[in-house]
Amino acid sequence: MTISDRYRAVTKDVEDFLTELRGQGVDEIQGPRKVARALTALKELLDRVGEIPRMRLEAELTPVLITAHKQLDWARLLFDEADEPVRAAAVWELEQKVYRLLNDL
């Protein structure tokens, strides 16, 4: 799977998780707001990620992925604080996907 495909897959996973949270009526002030910010950051390059030349991929994707990771980490901490370990674990999995993609750049 290419970096571009993995980037799209991570973005879709974050979007699906946010949709699930909103469907469950989770308070937007808590973790979902941070997950939404992570998704916003990821969507910045979603349409053109496949057009970025390989030698510029790292330079362009790294700041976006770091921002998304930071927002997801914050969301996980908020879920932990709210005593929601299942949601915190789900966010942790998303964080790990972002982190692995960052490492592969």
Side-chain angles (χ1 to χ4, degrees):
M1 186 179 265
T2 67
I3 296 290
S4 299
D5 290 338
R6 289 176 56 202
Y7 184 88
R8 288 184 194 102
V10 166
T11 303
K12 174 140 179 43
D13 290 346
V14 172
E15 186 171 34
D16 291 347
F17 181 67
L18 181 61
T19 301
E20 180 183 321
L21 287 175
R22 288 182 171 160
Q24 295 170 354
V26 178
D27 184 8
E28 281 291 320
I29 294 173
Q30 296 299 324
R33 180 179 287 173
K34 300 301 179 190
V35 175
R37 286 184 181 165
L39 181 60
T40 299
L42 291 168
K43 281 190 170 183
E44 285 179 26
L45 295 178
L46 185 62
D47 292 335
R48 57 187 198 93
V49 70
E51 300 167 7
I52 299 171
R54 178 71 182 153
M55 64 184 169
R56 291 188 33 222
L57 205 55
E58 181 179 355
E60 292 197 33
L61 290 185
T62 297
V64 173
L65 290 170
I66 288 173
T67 298
H69 189 276
K70 181 179 77 173
Q71 293 298 322
L72 290 170
D73 192 47
W74 199 346
R76 181 181 54 81
L77 292 173
L78 288 170
F79 283 129
D80 274 341
E81 205 172 86
D83 199 30
E84 298 185 38
V86 173
R87 290 186 177 123
V91 173
W92 175 251
E93 289 300 318
L94 293 172
E95 279 185 81
Q96 292 305 302
K97 289 179 182 182
V98 171
Y99 184 73
R100 283 190 291 274
L101 184 54
L102 262 169
N103 279 340
D104 290 345
L105 288 176

